[in-house]
Structures are given as C-alpha cells and as structure tokens.
C-alpha cells in the first residue's frame, strides 16, 4: 500500500497519541501557601506503562515567572533542594513527586493562589510530547508527630 501525505499524517498522529497514553498522570496538586509567598510546588504521580523510559525535561505555567524541576539531595549532612535537569520515569513503573522528594517548583508567583483554584501547567517530555494538566491548589495538612506516653 502507498501512503499519501494525508494517510501518513494520520498514521503519525495515531502513533503519537497511542504512545502518549502510555504515561498517566494522577494525584496532581499545588500547595497552598500563605499570601505573599513567592514560590509554591506542584506534586503528582507518573505511571509509565510503556517499555521505554520517559523524562520530564521542562514545565511551564503562566502563574509564575519560572518553573523548575527540583529534588531534595543530601549535601554535607543536610537536606538541600536542588534544581535537576530532568525527572525520569522508568519503563513500566510509577514515581511520585511529593514533599521532601522530587517536585516541580513555581518561582516568582504573579498573584496569591487561592484554595480550590485550578491552574494550568504544561509538561514537556524528552520524546517531544507535551501534556497540559490542570491541578487544583490545596491546603496541605501539617505533619504532627504524636507521642504516646
């Protein structure tokens, strides 16, 4: 069979969309911080059901001046937050972006965020795919350590 330009476009789009659904995103949420806070963080879960690793290489949002990929790294005996060039989701596995670990940092917030507000974030992957997510701003419960006596 000969593929014409139109057929080829359809085939390419079909293959790209098929591959896109191999990466599922769930549990996305943005931390609500007190008014005037210059930054916030986005957390989510990635489930990669394909046989190839995929890396998140960039994120964009119109709510902040900059968006960076971050991790908490032990340095000189202290936990420090550091920018990373990518977040890799291995083949056939799940990773969670969560407080104290990998996360997406939004720096230079243009406005105060409100609880329940939906924001738009564009995720860009190393295989040239992009995915737009709309996480809600939520209040995180503080961690209280209860000691029984």
């Amino acid at each position: 069979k000969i593929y014409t330009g139109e057929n080829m476009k359809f085939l390419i789009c079909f293959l790209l969309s098929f591959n896109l659904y191999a990466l599922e995103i769930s549990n996305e949420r943005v931390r609500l911080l007190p008014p005037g806070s210059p930054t916030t963080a986005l957390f989510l879960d990635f489930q990669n059901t394909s046989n190839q690793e995929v890396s998140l290489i960039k994120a964009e949002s119109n709510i902040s001046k900059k968006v960076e990929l971050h991790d908490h790294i032990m340095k000189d005996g202290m936990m420090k937050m550091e920018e990373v060039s990518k977040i890799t989701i291995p083949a056939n596995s799940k990773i969670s972006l969560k407080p104290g670990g990998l996360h997406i940092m939004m720096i230079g917030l243009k406005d105060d965020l409100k609880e329940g507000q939906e924001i738009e974030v564009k995720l860009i992957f190393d295989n040239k795919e992009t995915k737009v997510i709309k996480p809600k701003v939520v209040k995180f419960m503080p961690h209280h350590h209860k000691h029984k006596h």
Side-chain angles (χ1 to χ4, degrees), residues 42 57-70 83 104-108 121-123:
L42 164 65
I57 54 170
K58 192 176 179 192
E60 297 171 351
S61 180
N62 59 2
I63 67 155
S64 62
K65 293 184 182 115
K66 270 197 325 191
V67 182
E68 295 178 354
L69 310 178
H70 279 203
E83 187 177 6
I104 297 168
M105 197 79 199
M106 299 173 164
I107 300 163
V121 180
K122 183 178 181 183
L123 303 175

Side-chain angles (χ1 to χ4, degrees), residues 6 12 29 54 58 84 88 98 112 118 122 124 138:
E6 250 347 270
I12 289 167
R29 64 233 182 263
V54 179
K58 192 176 179 192
V84 292
T88 300
K98 57 184 186 252
D112 289 337
E118 195 176 78
K122 183 178 181 183
I124 301 153
V138 294

Side-chain angles (χ1 to χ4, degrees), residues 43-57:
F43 306 103
L44 50 80
D45 296 330
F46 283 117
Q47 175 84 43
N48 182 359
T49 57
S50 77
N51 293 321
Q52 294 180 329
E53 73 173 32
V54 179
S55 292
L56 175 67
I57 54 170

